[in-house]
Amino acid sequence: MQEQAAGAGNSSSPRQEERESSGGCCLVRGPIIVGAGPSGLAVAATLSRHAVPFTVLERSDGIADLWTNRTYDRLRLHLPKVFCELPHVGFPADCPTYPTKHDFLRYLRSYAARFAVSPLFGRTVTRARFDATASLWRVTAVSAADGGRATEYASPWLVVASGENAEVVEPKVKGRERFAGEVLHSSAYRSGERFKGMRVLVVGCGNSGMEMCLDLCEHGAMPFMSVRSGVHVLPREMFGTSTFGIAMKLLKWLPIKLVDRFLLLVAKMVLGDTERHGLRRPKLGPLEIKNVTGKSPVLDVGAWSLIKSGNIRIVPEVESFTGGSGVRFVDGSEMSFDAVIFATGYRSNVPSWLKDGDLFTEDGKPRAAQEPSSSSWRGPNGLYCVGFSGRGLLGAGADALRAAADIAGRWQAMAAAAAGGASKISSSSV
Ligand SMILES: Cc1cc2nc3c(=O)[nH]c(=O)nc-3n(C[C@H](O)[C@H](O)[C@H](O)COP(=O)(O)OP(=O)(O)OC[C@H]3O[C@@H](n4cnc5c(N)ncnc54)[C@H](O)[C@@H]3O)c2cc1C
Ligand SMILES: NC(=O)C1=CN([C@@H]2O[C@H](COP(=O)(O)OP(=O)(O)OC[C@H]3O[C@@H](n4cnc5c(N)ncnc54)[C@H](OP(=O)(O)O)[C@@H]3O)[C@@H](O)[C@H]2O)C=CC1
Ligand SMILES: O=C(O)C(=O)Cc1c[nH]c2ccccc12
């Protein structure tokens, strides 16, 4: 049966044609791309420039689900826009240096429209395996709107672009079911407005935890931030320019350890000693730890001064919920809260559906991240990974360019071989 494309214009798009093959499987033209976030869009756009067709499968009902449905209202990119551009198109000149999430979404929508990327929405990829006999990736996607109907798509190339933040991470804390107040993950937090006057425990001190505490304060709530192992806090800007931009420039000339020492020296001058206020700094420097473990430094947008002034209070790691509004910490102390927000991060979901290829560890990280000599963007048998290098949007764009160029080379070689075969047939039949 011919699979009907869900997104408007998809079935009519020559780039995303699907061809029926036997056994209820759609053999698609060009690669299958899993995910229509910034990474998936960047690969699709670059393929489009190489005149290679593609099929994008996206579980949500629109592009960039993370940015559309799983982020808070006050979110802005914390790197300047020049470091967050996707390949081929910059942000508009009138867009602020640190675009809001709405600016970013506008940019992504216009990017998708410009390159005629029309994903098949509502398709959750649940399985992908390489069929060595047919030399094809067989990708199963389930459509909730269609009563959970599963469709198999097949292609010689599979691009994994489902993101490092596909699923929420929430620790299983003892006694959670006995907590009387609301418990939510940062991905479900929109604004501090409805927490006005409430004592809110925010678990985690990454960028999400910090920015939510700031937002809660600004909305008249009383935030407490639970810290397990500490974090590097850096000012978002140093000497009037972005800290990230300065770091990138210095890295061209200096080793990472030296750049880290410089960043920490300036951070100490600007922010003071964070350890004195309960935020221990990790042993590795801010850039090195990002490289080695993926842990992001906090780029401060205002929370730090509220920690210093005591408006955001630091508390230890949570041990258990004690019933009612009580929470016990690992140092044995107890406090009561009206709500708890887990700002405990995200993980990729690739290991749950990618059944072949040795590119990912069991916890969803590209193996190459542990082996710096190997590349994380290409795996065996026509498998590609975009957006898993732990280097944000800039890294995703670089992966996309490499993956699309590699696929385009193979696509063109196949097309040339097919044309050669066809001309042989036609000349022999004349
Ligand atoms: C709050 C927040 C702020 C951030 N800010 C910045 C920033 O300022 N600068 C920066 O460089 N980076 C930032 N990041 C990092 C972020 O990872 C990137 O900005 C960007 O979203 C990565 O794009 P992506 O396409 O790889 O992943 P995502 O944006 O997560 O997109 C992946 C897409 O794949 C879909 N998907 C997942 N699983 C499946 C499946 N099984 N089947 C089908 N579809 C699937 C998802 O629905 C989603 O639409 C931020 C992250 C967060 C959480
Ligand atoms: N404005 C922006 O651009 C923003 C960007 N981001 C980015 O989004 C990504 C995700 O950020 P974020 O959501 O903050 O997640 P992170 O993974 O960066 O931080 C998670 C936090 O939760 C803590 N944590 C995790 N598990 C547990 C546990 N079991 N018990 C106690 N604490 C725990 C971690 O502590 P520990 O270190 O001890 O594991 C850490 O402090 C990052 O790349 C970040 O930079 C996020 C928000 C805003
Ligand atoms: O927001 C993030 O965590 C990102 O992935 C962006 C990013 C990539 N490399 C960095 C180094 C320092 C701070 C942020 C980033």
Side-chain angles (χ1 to χ4, degrees):
M1 217 179 66
Q2 174 78 39
E3 158 80 352
Q4 265 312 108
N10 243 319
S11 48
S12 61
S13 162
R15 299 206 172 282
Q16 287 152 335
E17 270 172 47
E18 294 168 4
R19 198 144 52 74
E20 190 181 358
S21 80
S22 59
C25 167
C26 294
L27 180 64
V28 303
R29 298 187 64 232
I32 295 168
I33 301 169
V34 182
S39 298
L41 296 178
V43 190
T46 310
L47 286 167
S48 170
R49 283 169 60 102
H50 286 290
V52 177
F54 51 82
T55 297
V56 185
L57 302 174
E58 165 58 50
R59 67 179 172 185
S60 140
D61 59 2
I63 63 161
D65 178 54
L66 174 69
W67 288 88
T68 310
N69 298 315
R70 295 185 280 135
T71 45
Y72 41 89
D73 296 344
R74 67 171 298 131
L75 178 65
R76 282 175 174 267
L77 297 179
H78 65 176
L79 308 184
K81 61 182 179 178
V82 287
F83 298 111
C84 295
E85 287 170 358
L86 299 184
H88 322 299
V89 186
F91 282 88
D94 61 355
C95 193
T97 305
Y98 298 97
T100 65
K101 83 162 170 179
H102 303 289
D103 294 328
F104 187 50
L105 279 166
R106 257 193 300 280
Y107 168 76
L108 291 177
R109 288 188 191 118
S110 102
Y111 189 87
R114 182 172 184 150
F115 295 101
V117 182
S118 312
L120 297 177
F121 291 121
R123 307 292 206 286
T124 303
V125 171
T126 54
R127 187 178 161 83
R129 66 180 180 89
F130 185 68
D131 175 348
T133 314
S135 282
L136 290 173
W137 283 94
R138 294 187 178 276
V139 179
T140 307
V142 168
S143 162
D146 210 356
R149 191 168 75 101
T151 304
E152 191 176 77
Y153 300 84
S155 162
W157 305 286
L158 173 63
V159 182
V160 179
S162 50
E164 294 169 326
N165 303 305
E167 309 295 331
V168 303
V169 168
E170 244 187 65
K172 285 192 177 65
V173 181
K174 229 177 358 185
R176 174 174 166 164
E177 67 291 346
R178 288 189 285 149
F179 184 68
E182 188 182 352
V183 182
L184 62 153
H185 185 265
S186 56
S187 58
Y189 178 94
R190 294 291 164 269
S191 141
E193 206 175 323
R194 68 193 178 86
F195 297 99
K196 190 177 166 106
M198 289 165 73
R199 290 165 61 88
V200 183
L201 176 63
V202 174
V203 180
C205 61
N207 281 295
S208 298
M210 286 278 194
E211 285 180 26
M212 280 190 310
C213 283
L214 167 65
D215 194 57
L216 285 162
C217 259
E218 288 181 355
H219 285 93
M222 285 160 277
F224 295 75
M225 191 167 70
S226 166
V227 175
R228 183 169 64 175
S229 62
V231 71
H232 282 296
V233 184
L234 302 174
R236 188 180 63 173
E237 293 187 338
M238 292 174 171
F239 316 114
T241 26
S242 83
T243 300
F244 186 82
I246 292 175
M248 290 302 111
K249 280 211 182 93
L250 291 177
L251 280 174
K252 289 195 178 130
W253 304 102
L254 301 171
I256 193 165
K257 281 189 194 297
L258 220 55
V259 179
D260 270 343
R261 272 171 60 184
F262 170 80
L263 295 178
L264 290 173
L265 192 76
V266 180
K268 193 160 187 179
M269 274 161 45
V270 177
L271 306 173
D273 182 4
T274 61
E275 311 222 4
R276 257 191 52 207
H277 297 273
L279 278 182
R280 214 168 50 245
R281 286 194 182 273
K283 282 207 174 70
L284 288 178
L287 298 177
E288 203 175 5
I289 198 171
K290 173 82 176 153
N291 265 1
V292 174
T293 71
K295 186 177 170 125
S296 303
V298 166
L299 291 170
D300 180 49
V301 290
W304 176 245
S305 72
L306 294 172
I307 292 173
K308 268 173 82 169
S309 63
N311 290 296
I312 298 171
R313 271 165 281 179
I314 306 286
V315 291
E317 182 182 353
V318 173
E319 194 269 330
S320 61
F321 290 99
T322 56
S325 57
V327 171
R328 182 177 298 128
F329 298 99
V330 290
D331 66 352
S333 63
E334 284 187 28
M335 290 174 96
S336 62
F337 298 99
D338 301 303
V340 174
I341 306 173
F342 284 111
T344 41
Y346 301 83
R347 63 177 168 79
S348 102
N349 61 18
V350 180
S352 71
W353 55 265
L354 184 66
K355 299 302 175 197
D356 279 288
D358 201 26
L359 221 51
F360 285 84
T361 61
E362 270 166 32
D363 62 350
K365 294 204 175 111
R367 227 171 265 289
Q370 273 119 38
E371 300 156 23
S373 57
S374 56
S375 67
S376 67
W377 61 276
R378 187 171 54 191
N381 302 323
L383 178 65
Y384 297 85
C385 294
V386 175
F388 290 92
S389 63
R391 292 187 299 120
L393 293 159
L394 204 59
D399 289 347
L401 287 172
R402 282 192 289 238
D406 201 79
I407 295 168
R410 286 159 204 271
W411 171 262
Q412 278 140 18
M414 243 166 82
S423 68
K424 260 191 211 142
I425 292 167
S426 61
S427 56
S428 65
S429 61
V430 172

